[in-house]
Amino acid sequence: MQISFMGGAQTVTGSKHLLSVNGKRLLVECGLFQGRRQESRERNQSFLFDPAKVDALLLTHAHIDHSGNIPNLVKQGFNGPIYATAATVDLAEVLLRDSAHLHEQDAYYVNKRHAEKDLPPIEPLYTQADVEEALPLMRGVDYGDPVPLDRGITATFLDAGHILGSASILFDIEENGRSFRLGITGDIGRANQPILRDPNRMRDLDVLLIECTYGSRLHPQSEDAAEELAKIIRRIYERKGRILIPAFAVGRTQTLVYMLHKLYNQNRIPDMPIYVDSPMALEATQIFRRHPECFDREMQRTFLRDRQDPFGFGRLKYVRNSEESKKLNDLGGPHIIISASGMAEGGRVLHHLMHTLDTPENLVLFVGYAAQHTLARKLMDGDKTVPIFGRPFNVDCEIQTLGHFSGHGDQHDLLEYAAYSPPDRLKSIFLIHGEAEGAKALTEKLTEKGYKDVRYPALGETIEIRV
Ligand SMILES: [Zn+2]
């Protein structure tokens, strides 16, 4: 068996892991590279393998850095089944349509500039039509049900507790008379998160591919998350500012809404308008409502027993069209706007940032991870001038990052995950989906725990697995 690291290798975006086993080629994830525009466009355009020769695709969850290049894969010849949990299939549909729209828009703006300079036009990475070709290939599977992929290869999806429908994928493989278990974590969530169940960890693995986004970090205790958020809201309310929260439309927004709902019910935040301004967040919220099978027990109780809508309450308004969205620009008095995208790479949040950054009373609150070179990362790093739509904007408002909301486990969680497969069993660990600092720290810790073969494969590297 061979594993080729075709994306999400030594970086956090573009996840693609190609398994060659028993003459079959299985791709796990087909994510989009994100970061510098030009560079991402080039990297996403072509694959480091032939899409037509891939037999099946397995998807851990719907986030675009894991799913976002599927339409291009299909456009370039992939025609096999795409396995994912039912909730992931629903969310991926919304996310991929949105992604196609962004690529079409991006190409439109680039082509306007190209026309001025007499340069040839570019094609969007993929279009709405390409998405429609890809969607029928998706097959929803249930957590815990073994999916036979081919003779000697079975995949089981286990709840990863990261976003709705997220999974780790456990492969039971028989090759040349030997049986072994290989696990790919996908993104690992955290225990005690609102809405979702705790991660169901794969155990007794021979080979583990583990994400290491936060391999060097420890999160603050999650019990404080609600109070931290409440404190910030009370503080900005006092000075009559705006709180702008760039948040992923899928997952993070619903978590925030759920928490704000609870804080509001408990009178822990002042009575102020809250706007969710992202059409995709609204669609995603409807999908959340359709998949209560993914909820944890607390959520089941709230949802089923009290018949309350966890994602809606009096002070909260979902902004539907761009007219309503524009009206928010000049809104006075304290208020909260939650808008996508989380890394501030596109979407309505860019317009809100343009109308928020110049006022000292305002706060831009980040509640998630931001990859290098993204606008969110620049703001989090304290840049005093940032580019939006190619124009420089001064940053005069307050910027804060709340680590509590991370959808990814920290170093402690990752070590605990690995511990479910003891060092005498687990032959090889491959660190994926992480930057060098996290990988280095996690490698040291895992080595201390007795794991002998811990690697951080490079993009394009193929490794022969011997068990
Ligand atoms: Zn994710």
Side-chain angles (χ1 to χ4, degrees), residues 71 95-105 124 126-129 131:
L95 280 162
L96 291 177
R97 284 197 178 125
D98 177 72
S99 176
H101 176 67
L102 294 176
H103 287 297
E104 286 170 359
Q105 236 180 6
Y126 53 82
T127 62
Q128 304 283 344
V131 173

Side-chain angles (χ1 to χ4, degrees), residues 60-66 162-163 166 186-188 211 407-408 433:
T60 62
H61 66 291
H63 277 152
I64 265 331
D65 56 331
H66 294 255
H162 169 65
I163 62 161
S166 67
D187 288 353
I188 302 170
E211 68 123 320
H408 290 267
H433 198 286

Side-chain angles (χ1 to χ4, degrees), residues 68-133:
N69 218 3
I70 291 174
N72 188 26
L73 187 83
V74 174
K75 186 167 124 180
Q76 296 195 29
F78 172 75
N79 193 30
I82 303 172
Y83 297 102
T85 65
T88 295
V89 170
D90 283 352
L91 288 177
E93 182 176 334
V94 173
L95 280 162
L96 291 177
R97 284 197 178 125
D98 177 72
S99 176
H101 176 67
L102 294 176
H103 287 297
E104 286 170 359
Q105 236 180 6
D106 193 43
Y108 173 78
Y109 286 116
V110 170
N111 287 340
K112 258 170 103 172
R113 263 181 283 140
H114 278 202
E116 285 163 18
K117 295 179 193 163
D118 264 341
L119 291 166
I122 62 155
E123 290 273 308
L125 182 65
Y126 53 82
T127 62
Q128 304 283 344
D130 297 319
V131 173
E132 300 312 315
E133 291 290 313

Side-chain angles (χ1 to χ4, degrees), residues 360-404:
E361 286 74 29
N362 292 344
L363 168 73
V364 177
L365 181 63
F366 289 102
V367 289
Y369 187 84
Q372 276 175 359
H373 313 301
T374 57
L375 177 56
R377 177 68 85 91
K378 290 188 179 111
L379 289 165
M380 285 156 106
D381 287 348
D383 286 14
K384 284 290 151 210
T385 310
V386 291
I388 303 177
F389 295 123
R391 279 166 52 203
F393 283 80
N394 288 339
V395 183
D396 297 321
C397 73
E398 190 186 339
I399 308 284
Q400 196 175 341
T401 305
L402 256 185
H404 301 81

